[in-house]
Amino acid sequence: MNTDRLEDPQRQRLREHLEAILIRSEKATSWHDEAARLRGLVNHEGYVPVRTRLAGVDLDFLAGAREDLLRFSELGLRLLDLHQPRDAGGITSDAAHPILRCRSCMWRWPCPTFRAISDSFSASPETVLPESA
Ligand SMILES: [Zn+2]
């Protein structure tokens, strides 16, 4: 039996949904540089009037961006809650650095799920938050 061919239909639907978000996001125009420029134009009421041209792919992205990002944030937080290190117990020659394992998947810490999250969010300059005023 070839276990590589087994596929869970729910997993497949989720994968297709996530791929659609990825494609929609990649097609949309990045507002990173424009947002930095506009930040300096915020008026005393806390707003900046914006007049811009949006392509259809940008509207596709903006229509679901907030909900998508909220879901991704919640997903990330849930995964971080699930995948935490714990002392694996047992005897170690290095008491200062005990062997840790993930309390959820039991891989040696940092587990592949945590590394995937860390790789996704640690390297992106887009994740740098603006300094609060
Ligand atoms: Zn884990």
Side-chain angles (χ1 to χ4, degrees):
M1 190 169 129
N2 186 353
T3 54
D4 292 339
R5 294 286 180 197
L6 291 177
E7 181 57 281
D8 179 344
Q10 186 178 17
R11 181 185 176 281
Q12 184 63 30
R13 281 193 303 275
L14 281 170
R15 181 171 186 81
E16 289 169 3
H17 181 73
L18 291 170
E19 287 173 344
I21 292 172
L22 177 68
I23 291 168
R24 190 166 58 235
S25 301
E26 284 179 339
K27 285 182 178 176
T29 303
S30 172
W31 276 73
H32 186 266
D33 294 341
E34 187 67 6
R37 188 185 71 78
L38 291 171
R39 194 171 310 282
L41 302 176
V42 174
N43 65 23
H44 65 281
E45 294 173 340
Y47 298 98
V48 56
V50 175
R51 184 178 163 161
T52 188
R53 294 162 53 103
L54 294 172
V57 290
D58 292 332
L59 292 173
D60 293 342
F61 169 76
L62 289 171
R66 184 178 185 276
E67 286 71 24
D68 290 342
L69 199 52
L70 285 170
R71 287 193 196 108
F72 271 110
S73 300
E74 289 169 4
L75 169 65
L77 291 169
R78 287 176 66 185
L79 289 173
L80 286 176
D81 285 346
L82 282 171
H83 296 269
Q84 299 182 35
R86 75 170 194 190
D87 192 329
I91 299 169
T92 176
S93 58
D94 186 357
H97 300 94
I99 294 172
L100 300 176
R101 290 198 178 276
C102 176
R103 67 173 56 180
S104 182
C105 64
M106 298 306 291
W107 278 73
R108 192 162 179 174
W109 189 259
C111 73
T113 301
F114 177 81
R115 285 200 313 265
I117 297 168
S118 180
D119 290 350
S120 293
F121 290 100
S122 296
S124 172
E126 303 280 333
T127 60
V128 175
L129 298 174
E131 292 179 32
S132 57

